[in-house]
Amino acid sequence: TYEPMSMRVIGSHWLPRCMVIYAASLIVNLLMAGFLVLYYFDFLTVSHAATLDETAAEQAKIREPPDLSTLNVRLSTRPVHPPDGLVKRTVVLPGLRGARPLYGEPARAAILEDDARRRVVILSADSRDGATGPLRAHLLHEFDLESYLPGVTACATARRCAFDRTPTTGGLACVAMCLVEALRS
């Protein structure tokens, strides 16, 4: 015959075993939480040190002279005036001008930057049409632009930049490409 056990007997039998399991799981959970906290703080210090290293590398990149052989040109239909604190010198480009395109907005600024996206020169047209006013070169790094001007003028004359009305390659873009060619040589 089967006699059911009373609840009192079952509770007194299993309670000590459950407490041991509960205490062991509590200890394991606390150890894991402590490990995660230590791992998190270690991760923060490593990532903070990596961020400091990256910042120092970027600062060193900014200070080193740009590579003039890898210049790229970006055009803007809006005038770009760099902050006075960044401009080393401003040079007026005598005798150079760009033509207004046949259609669309004329380029009013050409930004010359190296592959590391460090801006070197910003060419800007003072007039609204980008063709009638003098072109200015805002130098953001110190170098002798005047020695390159005869080559830029010869290139712009040969390419007929003052008369090239092609929207993306004529006008100010043509003068900017002549300047890039002169700086690369």
Side-chain angles (χ1 to χ4, degrees):
T1 67
Y2 176 72
E3 289 185 23
M5 253 188 205
S6 70
M7 289 302 269
R8 195 165 159 203
V9 173
I10 292 175
S12 65
H13 218 308
W14 289 99
L15 186 62
R17 292 180 184 160
C18 290
M19 289 303 291
V20 168
I21 292 173
Y22 177 74
S25 68
L26 182 64
I27 290 171
V28 168
N29 285 336
L30 287 175
L31 288 174
M32 288 297 289
F35 172 74
L36 289 176
V37 167
L38 289 176
Y39 180 75
Y40 177 74
F41 283 124
D42 185 49
F43 177 75
L44 282 181
T45 57
V46 168
S47 67
H48 181 68
T51 305
L52 290 176
D53 290 342
E54 289 172 6
T55 305
E58 287 176 14
Q59 291 294 329
K61 254 194 211 177
I62 291 171
R63 280 186 238 121
E64 72 184 28
D67 185 9
L68 298 180
S69 67
T70 64
L71 291 180
N72 304 305
V73 177
R74 287 193 302 141
L75 298 174
S76 172
T77 57
R78 295 182 180 162
V80 175
H81 301 288
D84 292 335
L86 295 178
V87 176
K88 304 296 183 202
R89 285 188 303 136
T90 300
V91 178
V92 176
L93 304 177
L96 292 175
R97 64 184 192 97
R100 179 173 175 75
L102 288 172
Y103 56 89
E105 284 286 317
R108 293 196 186 117
I111 302 163
L112 282 67
E113 60 188 12
D114 66 0
D115 285 342
R117 296 190 63 101
R118 288 179 294 188
R119 293 179 175 181
V120 178
V121 178
I122 297 178
L123 289 177
S124 63
D126 290 337
S127 64
R128 289 195 50 80
D129 63 358
T132 56
L135 296 179
R136 298 185 188 281
H138 303 284
L139 304 180
L140 304 179
H141 291 276
E142 193 61 46
F143 63 95
D144 185 23
L145 180 65
E146 288 81 5
S147 66
Y148 297 103
L149 285 181
V152 174
T153 305
C155 175
T157 303
R159 282 187 167 187
R160 300 181 44 88
C161 293
F163 306 105
D164 187 358
R165 297 175 59 142
T166 310
T168 56
T169 60
L172 186 62
C174 181
V175 175
M177 289 308 299
C178 285
L179 182 58
V180 166
E181 284 180 17
L183 291 174
R184 284 183 180 169
S185 62

